[in-house]
Amino acid sequence: MTDTKTNQQWTGSANARPENLTSYTLDITYTGPVVGGFDNGTVVTNVSPPIPVHAGWPIQLGVRNVKPSDLPKTFTWSISGAGGNGAAAIGGYNPTSGPTYVTALNPSSSTGSTFPGVNEYYYYTTANSETASVTPTGSGIPPAKTTFQVSEPTATVLTLTPGVYVWPASGGFGLGQWMFNPPFGLLAGISFSLKSVQSTGFSGGFNWIQVYAPDQSYWGANGNLLDTVGGAGLDTLNRNGAVFYGVSPPSDSPNTDPGSVGNGPVGKIVVADHATMWLMYKPAAAGSIWVPVDAVNWNWGGTETMSNGEWALSGGSWAQNPSGAATNTFPVWDGYVSHTPVPAQ
């Protein structure tokens, strides 16, 4: 049977009449934040210009005005950019001190008239133009489509890394610079700052979060391996167990301490640590999630050896003032990073 109004080929029940077919409609709706408020299900089929939304906003789609009435009541959804960590559209992200992961978005698993589901939302993660569509199951039935124009604030993370120093007292070494002249004391090993911030038109806030991967080994004077520090996880150093550093640009001064090793005097320490600091943004709209804006990779390391009662550092290396790069990949972790040497097996 042919719908002469839209030239669509139809298959259906014997009860379908020509007047039903020629009045075919299928609309897609949007529920979620808008600038200055919240939308509770406006029809957005083929709207122009695209719907403006912000990365991190909660989004729900729906089906409305389905005719003829005997069309199938199950649907196929399509969301461009859907996937897991690093994808343009995800199901959710909730950073906690315990295992943290990105919930992947899988449109093919949802067949109802609401996507992702009743009282559920999905999220865009980065500035881009993205399409969404819904199609009743069956053959020859055109989808209802809409387009979102996703935007987010931008900022570039810059760093300053003075260098690797030897602790003057304990014999450990770390990233930073010990100041014997004013202002005296420890100058941060790496400090972060924000440049080129573009956030006009966005209501929300930035925050910082870091994943740290230590790679340290502690050796005895006779060359035997005493302890190791490894793995990767949420870095809680100097943050009292909090997930985020805070809204102010942070700094870090990682270091070693041979006095923390309890199974023998330490004669050598080898370090090759890596870390990634993320700048995150969260819209003010209720139900929004944190989304990554920029991230910077950095590292430090070296070998410190005890000789004739004194510590000497060799091979000291560190990332030289690395700068960040825009990203939509989220920080994930299984738990806190270990800062305590683990006895060698």
Side-chain angles (χ1 to χ4, degrees), residues 53-66:
V53 300
H54 294 177
W57 273 1
I59 293 175
Q60 184 184 79
L61 304 180
V63 180
R64 187 179 296 177
N65 302 327
V66 182

Side-chain angles (χ1 to χ4, degrees), residues 189-226:
I190 181 169
S191 56
F192 301 86
S193 61
L194 282 182
K195 301 295 181 183
S196 305
V197 179
Q198 301 292 331
S199 58
T200 302
F202 296 90
S203 60
F206 293 106
N207 218 318
W208 302 83
I209 194 169
Q210 181 165 270
V211 172
Y212 198 91
D215 183 359
Q216 303 177 7
S217 58
Y218 295 76
W219 303 77
N222 60 358
N224 60 311
L225 179 63
L226 299 176

Side-chain angles (χ1 to χ4, degrees), residues 90-103 123 209 243-244 280 282 288-290 330-333:
I90 64 172
Y93 176 74
N94 182 28
T96 66
S97 58
T100 292
Y101 55 90
V102 173
T103 302
Y123 307 84
I209 194 169
V243 172
F244 289 100
M280 309 289 287
K282 186 177 183 180
S288 297
I289 63 169
W290 291 100
F330 287 77
V332 295
W333 56 86

Side-chain angles (χ1 to χ4, degrees), residues 15-328:
N15 295 324
R17 298 179 180 180
E19 59 266 28
N20 296 128
L21 297 177
T22 55
S23 62
Y24 162 78
T25 57
L26 173 67
D27 285 318
I28 189 170
T29 65
Y30 166 70
T31 298
V34 294
V35 175
F38 199 85
D39 192 310
N40 286 306
T42 299
V43 171
V44 291
T45 308
N46 297 325
V47 294
S48 182
I51 308 162
V53 300
H54 294 177
W57 273 1
I59 293 175
Q60 184 184 79
L61 304 180
V63 180
R64 187 179 296 177
N65 302 327
V66 182
K67 295 181 181 179
S69 60
D70 66 336
L71 281 179
K73 297 302 187 292
T74 57
F75 303 90
T76 300
W77 293 91
S78 177
I79 310 295
S80 66
N85 198 358
I90 64 172
Y93 176 74
N94 182 28
T96 66
S97 58
T100 292
Y101 55 90
V102 173
T103 302
L105 193 64
N106 183 12
S108 63
S109 65
S110 181
T111 61
S113 60
T114 301
F115 181 83
V118 178
N119 299 322
E120 295 179 356
Y121 297 92
Y122 77 95
Y123 307 84
Y124 289 112
T125 66
T126 190
N128 206 355
S129 179
E130 305 291 348
T131 60
S133 66
V134 61
T135 308
T137 56
S139 59
I141 306 175
K145 299 180 180 181
T146 195
T147 303
F148 293 98
Q149 186 61 52
V150 187
S151 59
E152 68 173 340
T154 61
T156 300
V157 178
L158 300 181
T159 64
L160 181 63
T161 52
V164 173
Y165 64 94
V166 176
W167 285 99
S170 68
F173 72 107
L175 183 67
Q177 184 176 353
W178 192 264
M179 303 296 290
F180 292 97
N181 298 309
F184 298 107
L186 176 62
L187 184 65
I190 181 169
S191 56
F192 301 86
S193 61
L194 282 182
K195 301 295 181 183
S196 305
V197 179
Q198 301 292 331
S199 58
T200 302
F202 296 90
S203 60
F206 293 106
N207 218 318
W208 302 83
I209 194 169
Q210 181 165 270
V211 172
Y212 198 91
D215 183 359
Q216 303 177 7
S217 58
Y218 295 76
W219 303 77
N222 60 358
N224 60 311
L225 179 63
L226 299 176
D227 301 282
T228 61
V229 180
L234 173 66
D235 184 7
T236 60
L237 187 64
N238 299 325
R239 285 185 290 147
N240 299 318
V243 172
F244 289 100
Y245 275 94
V247 297
S248 300
S251 61
D252 203 354
S253 297
N255 60 82
T256 65
D257 180 9
S260 66
V261 179
N263 49 335
V266 178
K268 183 174 71 172
I269 306 172
V270 181
V271 174
D273 287 8
H274 292 80
T276 302
M277 177 70 79
W278 273 267
L279 176 68
M280 309 289 287
Y281 170 78
K282 186 177 183 180
S288 297
I289 63 169
W290 291 100
V291 291
V293 173
D294 204 83
V296 57
N297 298 314
W298 60 279
N299 62 81
W300 74 282
T303 299
E304 190 180 39
T305 306
M306 169 67 76
S307 178
N308 297 322
E310 295 184 357
W311 288 99
L313 178 66
S314 63
S317 63
W318 62 94
Q320 298 290 321
N321 305 330
S323 59
T327 183
N328 63 319

